[in-house]
Amino acid sequence: TMIRKHDCGLGYEARKPDTLVADLRTMSADGVRERMAVNSLNAYRDNYSAEKVYPEMIDHVLKLADTRVPVGA
């Protein structure tokens, strides 16, 4: 998952409260929340910010436009 890939959070399993308890214990350790906060910001800047997303989206749309079949062809 994105959370694991970027080490920016934890996830627990539904109907398994022991996994939530384990995650809460992990989050209470020194420096864990701070590390994950830094990792979250880095993941956003590197992958999800407008400066990153929009140019890639524009390139994709332009490629689609270049490959479409002209009307009446």
Side-chain angles (χ1 to χ4, degrees):
T1 67
M2 287 189 316
I3 291 172
R4 285 191 183 126
K5 177 182 176 183
H6 299 294
D7 186 30
C8 60
L10 300 170
Y12 63 93
E13 294 182 50
R15 298 183 180 89
K16 293 189 177 182
D18 55 317
T19 62
L20 172 60
V21 171
D23 283 350
L24 292 172
R25 287 188 175 134
T26 297
M27 293 296 285
S28 67
D30 287 341
V32 172
R33 288 180 308 227
E34 293 80 4
R35 182 189 79 234
M36 288 184 179
V38 168
N39 292 345
S40 296
L41 183 57
N42 289 336
Y44 169 76
R45 286 180 181 157
D46 295 344
N47 301 287
Y48 310 109
S49 67
E51 291 81 10
K52 178 71 177 175
V53 172
Y54 289 137
E56 290 178 8
M57 182 185 73
I58 289 168
D59 287 344
H60 179 70
V61 169
L62 289 174
K63 285 178 187 174
L64 289 174
D66 285 343
T67 59
R68 70 185 178 112
V69 177
V71 175

